[in-house]
Amino acid sequence: MQVELTTERAARNQSTFREANEKIERRAEALVTEAERVPFICECPDPACTSTALLSFVDYEVVRSHGDWFFAVPGHEVCVVDDVEVAKIVKRCDAFTVMEKVGRAGEVAEQLDPRS
């Protein structure tokens, strides 16, 4: 039971940040050019995190191309929560790291994907 609670909590926390970033993207599209970078909220599992990463629209769309992918600022790449693996690193970039939710956390992330 603890494993399911941990993985679901991690996925829900990150999905909350993902929803906020979807709103940021929609608003930014009207204000900035395609080449500019936009500050998006770190999608790590820490609900108190307020860090941001500058991503281009192309970078952001790559992250959003998979319902179980999120991004985190460097140093926020949390793969284990309460001794349960919840994510793995897909790709490291200078400004952010692409993370993939795994197991039950991945299933919940896919279910909560606003683009699915």
Side-chain angles (χ1 to χ4, degrees), residues 80-92:
V80 177
V81 176
D82 295 337
D83 296 323
V84 178
E85 183 181 29
V86 296
K88 65 181 180 179
I89 294 173
V90 174
K91 179 181 178 184
R92 290 184 190 272

Side-chain angles (χ1 to χ4, degrees), residues 22-74:
E22 288 288 281
K23 292 175 185 174
I24 289 170
E25 181 191 36
R26 285 192 296 276
R27 295 219 165 68
E29 286 176 331
L31 301 173
V32 299
T33 68
E34 189 73 23
E36 291 181 90
R37 297 196 179 275
V38 176
F40 288 97
I41 303 166
C42 178
E43 297 174 347
C44 73
D46 180 357
C49 180
T50 59
S51 298
T52 60
L54 295 174
L55 280 76
S56 69
F57 287 120
V58 171
D59 289 337
Y60 184 74
E61 287 303 315
V62 167
V63 175
R64 291 288 84 91
S65 68
H66 297 269
D68 57 356
W69 282 14
F70 293 86
F71 75 89
V73 300

Side-chain angles (χ1 to χ4, degrees), residues 89-106:
I89 294 173
V90 174
K91 179 181 178 184
R92 290 184 190 272
C93 303
D94 289 339
F96 64 97
T97 301
V98 179
M99 309 289 296
E100 178 182 358
K101 295 311 249 178
V102 296
R104 177 70 181 137

